[in-house]
């Protein structure tokens, strides 16, 4: 059983949605919480609420698109808490949608940077401290489109495929050091994420229909995955069905998805 009372949890994208909800879940477990995001007002408000609940927390404003700033961010966090990060939750992310011919390369680069390069850089810099402690967890929030690409979702899908491959590789690299790499796919979530989609060109289907989970519900599942030291968790039944169809009946799935264009 993990003793969270001595653990420092770094949550990216913690100003809203799943990241914000995770701050409460892991704080309730007794962990210290390092919040990071771009919205200082939201982070300040969240930090005040956490402190009112006697959760040891502090916020650090950072734009993860500026990859060169990540090392400074980690130094600030570990100096403030006088501790190295034990658990990293890569919750920050965005989605660029549109047909391939309509997506600017600059938008693709930004999508990849936030969804893949930033988690890679954060993990790379935090792994030495986790190895030194003999414990660590890296929890990467992925998506069903990280297992099966969808039409009009090529940019976002590519970033999540990259995150999936990275997680699989890193998991094996770190197995001998008591460090977990958990790949977590929540499916649709009732958060600002869906309303902040960047769309290029006309797109008939954004694949945002269906029951959306509340961030608190997703955060509870993430905390349980951490406690049980899971390898991978997929909450969405649509994702499970789509992944199975892609394995057993890929051509039929391709034809079905053409109707979504």
């Amino acid at each position: 059983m993990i003793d969270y009372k001595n653990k420092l949890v770094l949550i990216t994208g913690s100003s809203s949605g799943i990241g914000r909800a995770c701050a409460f879940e892991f704080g309730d477990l007794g962990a210290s919480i390092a919040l990071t995001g771009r919205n200082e007002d939201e982070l300040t408000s969240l930090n005040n609420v956490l402190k009112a609940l006697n959760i040891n927390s502090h916020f650090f404003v950072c734009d993860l698109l500026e990859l060169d700033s990540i090392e400074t961010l980690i130094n600030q966090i570990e100096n403030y808490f006088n501790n190295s990060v034990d658990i990293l939750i890569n919750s920050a992310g965005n989605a660029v949608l549109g047909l391939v011919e309509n997506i600017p390369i600059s938008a693709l680069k930004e999508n990849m940077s936030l969804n893949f390069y930033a988690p890679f850089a954060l993990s790379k810099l935090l792994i030495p401290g986790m190895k030194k402690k003999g414990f660590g967890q890296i929890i990467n929030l992925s998506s069903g489109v990280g297992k099966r690409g969808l039409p009009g979702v090529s940019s976002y899908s590519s970033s999540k495929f990259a995150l999936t491959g990275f997680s699989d590789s890193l998991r094996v690299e770190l197995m001998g050091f008591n460090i977990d790499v958990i790949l977590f796919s929540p499916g649709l979530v009732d958060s600002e994420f869906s309303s902040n989609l960047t769309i290029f060109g006309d797109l008939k289907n954004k694949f945002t229909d269906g029951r959306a989970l509340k961030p608190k519900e997703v955060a509870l599942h993430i905390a349980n995955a951490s406690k049980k030291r899971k390898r991978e968790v997929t909450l969405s039944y649509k994702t499970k069905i789509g992944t199975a169809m892609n394995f057993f009946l890929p051509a039929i799935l391709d034809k079905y998805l053409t109707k979504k264009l």
Side-chain angles (χ1 to χ4, degrees), residues 24 28 48-55:
F24 290 98
D28 286 344
N48 290 338
V49 174
L50 293 172
K51 286 189 176 298
L53 295 171
N54 294 317
I55 294 172

Side-chain angles (χ1 to χ4, degrees), residues 87-131:
I87 299 173
L88 167 64
I89 303 177
N90 284 308
S91 177
N94 63 8
V96 171
L97 305 184
L99 302 180
V100 170
E101 63 204 76
N102 294 328
I103 296 176
I105 295 299
S106 59
L108 171 64
K109 287 181 177 179
E110 183 172 306
N111 209 184
M112 290 294 295
S113 186
L114 184 59
N115 293 359
F116 172 58
Y117 293 142
F120 190 106
L122 284 159
S123 301
K124 173 182 171 62
L125 291 168
L126 292 175
I127 285 169
M130 293 178 179
K131 283 185 175 181

Side-chain angles (χ1 to χ4, degrees), residues 94 108 111-112 115-117 119-120 140-151 153-171 183-185 232 239 242-243 246-247 253-254 257:
N94 63 8
L108 171 64
N111 209 184
M112 290 294 295
N115 293 359
F116 172 58
Y117 293 142
F120 190 106
N140 291 327
L141 266 69
S142 188
S143 166
V145 300
K147 292 291 184 71
R148 162 70 211 206
L150 299 177
V153 194
S154 59
S155 175
Y156 182 58
S157 180
S158 296
S159 70
K160 292 303 184 180
F161 259 90
L163 188 66
T164 297
F166 165 61
S167 300
D168 288 343
S169 295
L170 186 61
R171 183 183 300 112
L183 190 66
F184 194 96
S185 300
E232 185 172 346
T239 296
T243 302
N246 191 54
F247 184 82
L253 183 58
D254 282 349
L257 289 173

Side-chain angles (χ1 to χ4, degrees), residues 17-251:
I18 296 173
R20 187 180 194 279
C22 281
F24 290 98
E25 289 298 329
F26 283 85
D28 286 344
L29 292 173
S32 297
I33 309 297
L35 309 165
T36 188
R38 291 182 288 187
N39 191 321
E40 184 171 0
D41 290 340
E42 291 293 337
L43 290 173
T44 300
S45 176
L46 172 58
N47 191 52
N48 290 338
V49 174
L50 293 172
K51 286 189 176 298
L53 295 171
N54 294 317
I55 294 172
N56 183 25
S57 65
H58 194 68
F59 70 91
F60 305 83
V61 179
C62 181
D63 185 350
L64 293 178
L65 291 174
E66 299 176 7
L67 297 175
D68 292 339
S69 69
I70 290 178
E71 186 170 6
T72 299
L73 169 68
I74 291 172
N75 289 335
Q76 289 175 339
I77 291 170
E78 296 188 340
N79 286 336
Y80 178 86
F81 287 98
N82 194 29
N83 193 7
S84 60
V85 173
D86 299 280
I87 299 173
L88 167 64
I89 303 177
N90 284 308
S91 177
N94 63 8
V96 171
L97 305 184
L99 302 180
V100 170
E101 63 204 76
N102 294 328
I103 296 176
I105 295 299
S106 59
L108 171 64
K109 287 181 177 179
E110 183 172 306
N111 209 184
M112 290 294 295
S113 186
L114 184 59
N115 293 359
F116 172 58
Y117 293 142
F120 190 106
L122 284 159
S123 301
K124 173 182 171 62
L125 291 168
L126 292 175
I127 285 169
M130 293 178 179
K131 283 185 175 181
K132 188 174 181 179
K133 284 184 172 179
F135 171 82
Q137 287 188 332
I138 297 170
I139 303 174
N140 291 327
L141 266 69
S142 188
S143 166
V145 300
K147 292 291 184 71
R148 162 70 211 206
L150 299 177
V153 194
S154 59
S155 175
Y156 182 58
S157 180
S158 296
S159 70
K160 292 303 184 180
F161 259 90
L163 188 66
T164 297
F166 165 61
S167 300
D168 288 343
S169 295
L170 186 61
R171 183 183 300 112
V172 179
E173 290 181 13
L174 299 179
M175 272 185 177
F177 298 94
N178 196 36
I179 301 173
D180 308 321
V181 177
I182 302 171
L183 190 66
F184 194 96
S185 300
L188 292 177
V189 181
D190 182 13
S191 69
E192 293 85 348
F193 182 86
S194 295
S195 60
N196 291 333
L197 300 173
T198 301
I199 303 172
F200 293 94
D202 294 326
L203 200 60
K204 177 182 175 182
N205 199 318
K206 304 178 186 67
F207 298 97
T208 54
D209 295 331
R211 177 178 176 266
L213 300 176
K214 296 296 183 182
K216 179 177 174 58
E217 185 178 356
V218 176
L220 180 61
H221 282 287
I222 292 173
N224 286 335
S226 171
K227 292 176 190 175
K228 296 177 181 179
R229 307 187 72 171
K230 292 281 191 176
R231 178 185 182 278
E232 185 172 346
V233 175
T234 300
L235 298 183
S236 168
Y237 285 104
K238 282 187 176 181
T239 296
K240 293 176 182 178
I241 293 170
T243 302
M245 283 192 66
N246 191 54
F247 184 82
F248 292 106
L249 302 166

